[in-house]
Amino acid sequence: MAELDLDPFTDVLDVPMYVVTAAAGDDRAGCLVGFASQCSIHPARYMVWLSEANHTFKVALRATHLTVHVLRREQRELARWFGSQTGDRVDKFERVAWHESADGSPVLNEADVWFVGRIEERIAGGDHVGFLLTPTEQSPPAPQAPALLRLSDVKDFEPGHPA
């Protein structure tokens, strides 16, 4: 049986975009991610999918935690920085304010809403690997739900690591 293209289905979706960061030893990395979702309520679990071609993936393989940041629609340039550059050539953290979480994962100061998750499992999924996360630390609640940065806001970005 031939594999179907998912484009007719996914083209109608306008998913939120996230910046996911990782640290392992002295290496820090971060990238723009559109494949992510809560996958369990009790216990709380979140799945983030990272491209195997991405520098962040290589760091995440050695990390114990990842930080998932929700971006507001007006943070398009921050998203472009993390989505259009590659950590193979650029230190993405030298131009942004950030701090370390309790477990050493980079947290972007500009993000109002974020959580740090302990990596419970890594699951192969084609050209991406899923990182199953258990929340260990999070931002204070947002006073109101922000207008989120979505796929339609970043479709014109040139990826740092083209697929």
Side-chain angles (χ1 to χ4, degrees):
M1 180 179 219
E3 259 186 56
L4 293 178
D5 183 353
L6 272 176
D7 287 349
F9 177 81
T10 59
D11 283 351
V12 301
L13 304 176
D14 197 13
V15 298
M17 300 301 293
Y18 309 88
V19 170
V20 174
T21 57
D26 291 335
D27 295 331
R28 291 182 310 270
C31 64
L32 190 63
V33 170
F35 300 159
S37 178
Q38 182 174 354
C39 58
S40 176
I41 298 170
H42 300 290
R45 297 288 187 271
Y46 204 85
M47 182 68 84
V48 173
W49 296 89
L50 299 178
S51 168
E52 293 178 349
N54 195 303
H55 176 73
T56 302
F57 170 75
K58 296 172 188 122
V59 175
L61 284 177
R62 297 180 288 118
T64 59
H65 293 74
L66 300 178
T67 305
V68 181
H69 305 81
V70 176
L71 298 182
R72 299 181 314 275
R73 181 162 284 140
E74 63 267 17
Q75 291 177 301
R76 193 168 186 274
E77 288 312 307
L78 179 62
R80 183 187 307 275
W81 178 246
F82 277 89
S84 296
Q85 301 294 324
T86 175
D88 294 329
R89 296 186 291 267
V90 171
D91 177 357
K92 296 181 186 181
F93 296 90
E94 69 183 10
R95 284 186 32 184
V96 298
W98 64 280
H99 64 276
E100 284 188 359
S101 71
D103 294 298
S105 187
V107 177
L108 304 178
N109 293 353
E110 287 184 58
D112 296 331
V113 181
W114 54 267
F115 80 93
V116 177
R118 181 179 57 250
I119 300 169
E120 300 292 347
E121 195 172 339
R122 294 168 178 89
I123 301 166
D127 60 359
H128 284 62
V129 171
F131 290 76
L132 182 63
L133 306 175
T134 297
T136 60
E137 189 177 342
Q138 65 185 354
S139 61
Q144 61 182 352
L148 300 180
L149 185 76
R150 298 198 169 271
L151 178 60
S152 60
D153 298 316
V154 302
K155 277 194 169 193
D156 63 326
F157 289 5
E158 290 292 325
H161 261 292

